[in-house]
Amino acid sequence: QVHLVASGGGLVQVGDSLRLACTDSGPAFSNYAVAWFRQAPGKEHEFVASISKSGGNRYYANSIKDRFSISKDHAENTVYLQMNNLKPEDTALYYCALDTTGRGMGPYDFWGLGTQVTVSS
């Protein structure tokens, strides 16, 4: 069964980098597209990035375009989110989700446990 967990968050300063990881103890990521979402205090959840089933297609929110990159390692069954040049507005709980269509554009059927990213100015 699906058990998604995000890790790698922490407290950093403006301009720092973090690498988040999403792991799944159930379904293999090779069968799904995977997306990263985030939710800041008092705000709705926001799409961050996604990667298609094969890893060939990637999608990014405009707010993080050219700063974040998503990748997947099927051998490790892990999806990564490399976050560079972090800004205070990136502060949020980050979590991953699965897209069973395999395209990376939703709908997202399974949601995981998040990891907190806090960026101080």
Side-chain angles (χ1 to χ4, degrees):
Q1 51 187 8
V2 177
H3 188 253
L4 296 167
V5 179
S7 62
L11 175 62
V12 297
Q13 295 183 330
V14 170
D16 284 353
S17 297
L18 283 174
R19 190 191 191 195
L20 306 184
C22 173
T23 58
D24 178 21
S25 63
F29 282 153
S30 60
N31 295 323
Y32 300 92
V34 183
W36 284 95
F37 287 81
R38 66 186 182 185
Q39 186 169 27
K43 297 183 179 180
E44 297 291 332
H45 71 274
E46 174 189 17
F47 171 82
V48 177
S50 65
I51 186 167
S52 63
K53 177 181 176 180
S54 68
N57 292 323
R58 295 172 171 85
Y59 304 93
Y60 297 99
N62 289 333
S63 60
I64 55 83
K65 187 178 181 180
D66 299 323
R67 295 191 297 118
F68 294 5
S69 63
I70 188 171
S71 63
K72 64 187 329 190
D73 185 337
H74 288 162
E76 297 292 333
N77 205 40
T78 302
V79 173
Y80 298 98
L81 183 68
Q82 179 65 47
M83 310 164 68
N84 298 320
N85 192 25
L86 285 162
K87 302 176 180 180
E89 52 263 42
D90 295 320
T91 295
L93 181 70
Y94 286 73
Y95 50 95
C96 53
L98 301 186
D99 169 7
T100 56
T101 72
R103 300 185 184 93
M105 298 181 289
Y108 301 98
D109 304 297
F110 304 99
W111 302 80
L113 298 176
T115 185
Q116 179 67 37
V117 173
T118 302
V119 185
S120 62
S121 60

